[in-house]
Amino acid sequence: MDYVIENASDEAIASLCQLFKQVFHQDVTPEQWRWKYHDLALAGHQNVILRNQAGDILGHGGALILHGWIAGTPVPVAQICDVMLAPEARGHASHMGPYAAFMTGLFKALQAHIPEGMYYGFPGKRPFHLGKRLGFYRGTGPIHEWRLPIPPATSPRWPWWRLIDLSWDDPRIDRLWSRREATSNGILVTDRRYLSWRYARNPFHAYRLFGVQSGFQLVGWVIVSQSDGLLRCVDRLIDEQHLAI
């Protein structure tokens, strides 16, 4: 197969949305695509595409670049996203195939843009095994989703704790991060900039932000989503020792 590897332009977004629909059988609009990759809260993005000689887009590998924090040092973090190949371009799973070509282009672009960065992603099992065989992925272990229903809190351990509504642009969110950054075991800077992009402006889901208050002091925050009559905690920043049972 003859193909061309290039960085995606703004004019390619509509075609990429069509490819997303074809590969994942889900709709995504150009506005949602721009939120994901082009929002000003991000530290950047990379989108590498594969075209055939007729100019049709057959493949894409993307990365949104986030502000990271690893071992007390600020580090750009690239999350690999939307790795997709049109059905007619599949069946060439070798180092010379189209998948290997645009993935090589993606990592070359990332290494040129953020050579000191960290790259990660959440591929499914089959894409992971292919990427690992071709040298693109290295596993850190499977990810398990745990769901635990939480009964109403009746414990006397936290008599002065309560949840309050918190604005997405409350400056105390940044101060909480500043106090926790030295001991944070995450890799993302979860400040107002990140929360505003990831949750407040999310075009796919609606989220609500609560502050965790002890007495008159804000000691953390939690983000919840509501579905089928249930509230689900999807993110949080709080001293983990307070959560010990």
Side-chain angles (χ1 to χ4, degrees):
M1 178 184 293
D2 293 325
Y3 45 78
V4 176
I5 307 298
E6 62 185 42
N7 291 325
S9 65
D10 289 347
E11 289 72 23
I13 292 178
S15 296
L16 288 169
C17 291
Q18 294 173 3
L19 181 63
F20 188 95
K21 170 75 171 181
Q22 182 184 24
V23 172
F24 297 118
H25 309 292
Q26 295 181 6
D27 291 315
V28 61
T29 68
E31 291 73 24
Q32 292 168 332
W33 187 274
R34 291 188 182 94
W35 163 81
K36 187 171 187 178
Y37 288 104
H38 297 262
D39 196 276
L40 294 178
L42 302 175
H45 67 94
Q46 292 290 335
N47 297 89
V48 171
I49 58 177
L50 176 141
R51 293 185 187 271
N52 60 17
Q53 292 299 316
D56 303 316
I57 296 179
L58 299 180
H60 167 268
L64 50 95
I65 302 174
L66 302 160
H67 301 274
W69 186 267
I70 301 175
T73 302
V75 176
V77 176
Q79 180 178 341
I80 310 302
C81 301
D82 303 324
V83 175
M84 47 190 178
L85 190 63
E88 61 267 30
R90 300 172 191 171
H92 307 276
S94 70
H95 289 89
M96 303 300 293
Y99 169 83
F102 74 75
M103 287 298 287
T104 297
L106 173 62
F107 286 116
K108 284 183 177 179
L110 284 171
Q111 289 165 0
H113 186 56
I114 51 169
E116 76 286 8
M118 174 183 176
Y119 315 148
Y120 75 100
F122 304 98
K125 289 184 178 180
R126 290 182 62 188
F128 169 74
H129 289 307
L130 173 61
K132 181 180 180 180
R133 182 166 64 84
L134 296 177
F136 298 121
Y137 297 150
R138 178 171 60 86
T140 59
I143 296 175
H144 301 279
E145 179 179 356
W146 295 90
R147 297 188 180 187
L148 178 67
I150 305 298
T154 58
S155 172
R157 293 184 58 192
W158 307 290
W160 306 110
W161 284 48
R162 62 192 180 99
L163 294 179
I164 61 170
D165 279 306
L166 199 62
S167 170
W168 295 103
D169 60 357
D170 193 310
R172 291 178 295 175
I173 295 173
D174 290 347
R175 293 199 290 270
L176 281 172
W177 166 254
S178 296
R179 292 201 299 266
R180 292 279 294 132
E181 63 185 13
T183 57
S184 174
N185 58 4
I187 63 172
L188 298 180
V189 176
T190 52
D191 56 6
R192 278 184 296 172
R193 174 179 52 195
Y194 174 78
L195 297 190
S196 179
W197 165 73
R198 176 64 179 84
Y199 299 110
R201 296 197 297 277
N202 191 302
F204 297 97
H205 305 285
Y207 298 97
R208 188 172 178 183
L209 174 64
F210 290 100
V212 181
Q213 194 162 295
S214 176
F216 295 104
Q217 182 181 7
L218 187 71
V219 296
W221 51 256
V222 295
I223 294 173
V224 301
S225 65
Q226 185 170 359
S227 176
D228 299 327
L230 296 176
L231 290 177
R232 293 182 172 89
C233 175
V234 297
D235 205 345
R236 68 174 187 257
L237 188 148
I238 193 170
D239 190 338
E240 299 293 318
Q241 68 179 353
H242 295 305
L243 302 180
I245 303 300

